[in-house]
Amino acid sequence: MTAPDRHASEGDLTARGPTRAVVLHPDIHTDRDRRDPGPALEEAVALAAALPDLEVVGAEIVRLPKAHPGLLFGTGKIEELKARIEAQEVELVLIDGPVTPVQQRNLEKEWGVKLLDRTGLILEIFADRAATREGVLQVELAALSYQRTRLVRAWTHLERQRGGLGFVGGPGETQIEADRRAIDEAVTRIRRQLAKVVKTRTLHRAARKKVPYPIVALVGYTNAGKSTLFNRLTGAEVMAKDMLFATLDPTMRAVELPDGTEVILSDTVGFISDLPTQLVAAFRATLEEVLDADLILHVRDISHPETAEQAEDVMQILTDLGVTGETPLIEVWNKIDQLPGPERATRLTEAARREHVYAASALTGEGIGPLLKAVAEAVSPPRTRTVVTLKHEDGRRRAWLFDQGIVEGEKAGDEETRLTVNWTDRQRAAFQAL
């Protein structure tokens, strides 16, 4: 089937079943010190699996001494891959890395299939997952920024509220591809809409600041278990699957800590290595909760073979977002239950010896108690020790003090009771209002 014929039939792919895809990870010599290509390929396959209606029928590491400017791969490798693509009836090739517009166009022509690079794939996932109005707008803006310089057919999902694979059908494809001015007009329109949404979020954030609740933000590499931990701590039912980017839009819930302190817990989008720069910029508003946080919980999948590298990626993105070292940070070594016995014991010992590090399992609840205690110590407001004198008949106020868990001592007299309390300014004000 020629490329035009294949393109004409793209709108029928959904009806014919899942789109058959192959994932290729270019292991370029100059990049070998950066990451082990094995886990990198596994992550790329997991990214592909995060899209609906997509069947990964093959995955391969392609070692290259250098990237070829026009075709990325050498001619011999291109012919070898073409034979495999045709034999497996592949309809989509996913390149786990950057691909220039020229390389994309040439490879599509050589292989007669659609091609997406890492940035394009992540954009497609985000388009499929964004649920809130702000999330949808930010994804559209990021995709438009990405597509501004390349005339390809990978962004028709912008015509829909929630996109699947953007190259599968969709209205207005020819017009959008041919008319770059339409992109600029769409960017202007989306930025206006996004400005209104961001203004609303700013007002909501300002209203929250009037309520003295500390904000605790969960951050971490995608699939580290943030949403599972969020659900464990709040009793919420945020989507939590063993899937990359299972959660995109920020979710916030109130949580009462063991010492009675109430905090607002915020679950954010997962980070990933080589996150497209368009998404770092576009999702800055979504991640503003992190910038305003009183405490950051960095959730790590401690069972992952590249947990250290993933942690470095998260910290780099936090730095890019403007998060400084002044914001307190606690590391949560999640998924401790998935480690084999000896390694688990080693990690538990290591975490116990390190400051601001807690090993836990969001799935089983192991280690959650000490973690919550540490969170309370980090965000609890200053307390003042005071002696309160109450009449014996003032049982309601006495009961309130005990309910708050702030009574350290009690001495009963003939007509009154003296209670030593250790409370916050907010608790003192609430008591005086009783």
Side-chain angles (χ1 to χ4, degrees):
M1 181 183 291
T2 64
D5 290 336
R6 183 179 297 278
H7 169 52
S9 65
E10 282 173 352
D12 300 327
L13 290 179
T14 303
R16 292 194 287 111
T19 300
R20 296 173 63 83
V22 65
V23 179
L24 303 177
H25 175 76
D27 181 23
I28 302 173
H29 179 74
T30 55
D31 290 337
R32 283 182 183 171
D33 294 336
R34 172 80 174 102
R35 277 283 170 88
D36 181 352
L41 179 64
E42 291 177 7
E43 180 177 279
V45 172
L47 279 171
L51 277 174
D53 302 322
L54 188 66
E55 179 186 3
V56 178
V57 297
E60 179 180 345
I61 296 171
V62 182
R63 291 180 167 81
L64 298 171
K66 64 178 182 179
H68 295 257
L71 288 166
L72 183 62
F73 306 107
T75 53
K77 177 57 70 173
I78 287 177
E79 289 300 320
E80 176 188 333
L81 292 171
K82 180 178 181 179
R84 200 171 307 163
I85 288 169
E86 292 177 348
Q88 295 179 304
E89 298 182 346
V90 170
E91 299 160 297
L92 170 67
V93 174
L94 301 171
I95 305 292
D96 183 37
V99 178
T100 67
V102 172
Q103 290 170 341
Q104 178 175 356
R105 187 163 56 246
N106 290 342
L107 287 173
E108 287 182 338
K109 183 177 179 181
E110 288 286 337
W111 292 335
V113 298
K114 189 69 193 76
L115 183 145
L116 286 178
D117 66 359
R118 182 181 177 87
T119 298
L121 174 59
I122 294 175
L123 285 170
E124 294 286 353
I125 296 172
F126 277 31
D128 182 68
R129 299 285 169 74
T132 65
R133 180 60 176 159
E134 182 182 14
V136 171
L137 290 172
Q138 287 173 340
V139 170
E140 292 184 6
L141 185 60
L144 288 168
S145 300
Y146 171 67
Q147 296 295 344
R148 178 63 177 79
T149 58
R150 52 180 71 207
L151 296 176
V152 294
R153 298 188 300 272
W155 63 294
T156 56
H157 64 273
L158 301 184
E159 295 294 317
R160 300 193 292 275
Q161 177 71 12
R162 290 171 62 87
L165 289 173
F167 60 89
V168 181
E173 180 177 320
T174 304
Q175 177 183 352
I176 294 175
E177 181 180 0
D179 192 353
R180 184 171 292 174
R181 185 172 57 195
I183 298 179
D184 296 332
E185 291 173 353
V187 166
T188 301
R189 172 180 54 82
I190 291 171
R191 281 179 174 161
R192 286 200 199 102
Q193 295 174 329
L194 191 56
K196 294 179 181 178
V197 177
V198 171
K199 183 178 180 180
T200 301
R201 280 175 57 83
T202 302
L203 292 174
H204 289 168
R205 193 159 51 247
R208 281 201 307 272
K209 286 184 177 179
K210 295 180 181 179
V211 180
Y213 293 155
I215 294 177
V216 179
L218 297 176
V219 303
Y221 207 82
T222 185
N223 211 35
K226 296 186 312 305
S227 295
T228 303
L229 180 60
F230 184 88
N231 291 344
R232 164 71 63 175
L233 298 180
T234 65
E237 296 183 355
V238 174
M239 180 182 180
K241 288 187 176 181
D242 186 19
M243 176 188 294
L244 300 187
F245 297 121
T247 304
L248 281 187
D249 296 291
T251 307
M252 309 187 78
R253 293 288 189 278
V255 176
E256 183 174 338
L257 299 176
D259 68 345
T261 302
E262 290 187 79
V263 301
I264 295 177
L265 192 65
S266 174
D267 187 18
T268 62
V269 61
F271 298 163
I272 195 168
S273 64
D274 303 320
L275 184 71
T277 55
Q278 295 90 346
L279 285 178
V280 172
F283 274 76
R284 187 180 181 88
T286 300
L287 295 169
E288 278 181 353
E289 303 297 346
V290 178
L291 295 176
D292 288 340
D294 297 281
L295 175 67
I296 294 174
L297 293 186
H298 177 189
V299 183
R300 291 176 53 180
D301 178 358
I302 203 65
S303 68
H304 195 281
E306 291 200 332
T307 182
E309 290 83 357
Q310 291 181 351
E312 290 178 6
D313 288 329
V314 170
M315 296 310 297
Q316 182 58 54
I317 293 175
L318 287 176
T319 300
D320 293 343
L321 289 170
V323 176
T324 66
E326 297 177 0
T327 304
L329 185 145
I330 291 176
E331 274 196 11
V332 183
W333 287 5
N334 191 31
K335 303 188 182 182
I336 196 74
D337 58 300
Q338 295 188 13
L339 291 175
E343 186 178 355
R344 169 190 163 87
T346 300
R347 287 294 192 181
L348 287 171
T349 301
E350 183 182 356
R353 290 175 178 173
R354 295 179 60 174
E355 191 175 10
H356 308 309
V357 174
Y358 294 86
S361 169
L363 188 63
T364 67
E366 178 185 358
I368 296 299
L371 172 62
L372 286 177
K373 183 178 179 182
V375 170
E377 291 175 353
V379 302
S380 294
R383 293 176 176 269
T384 304
R385 187 170 283 102
T386 308
V387 175
V388 176
T389 302
L390 296 176
K391 296 291 184 181
H392 290 321
E393 60 268 22
D394 199 355
R396 184 173 67 90
R397 301 177 84 198
R398 177 182 176 278
W400 185 91
L401 291 172
F402 276 95
D403 286 342
Q404 292 290 308
I406 57 178
V407 178
E408 294 183 341
E410 181 180 18
K411 186 175 182 180
D414 293 336
E415 298 182 359
E416 57 189 21
T417 301
R418 295 168 60 86
L419 298 99
T420 301
V421 298
N422 192 12
W423 55 11
T424 65
D425 290 343
R426 183 164 64 88
Q427 288 170 324
R428 179 202 293 265
F431 175 76
Q432 292 173 344
L434 290 175

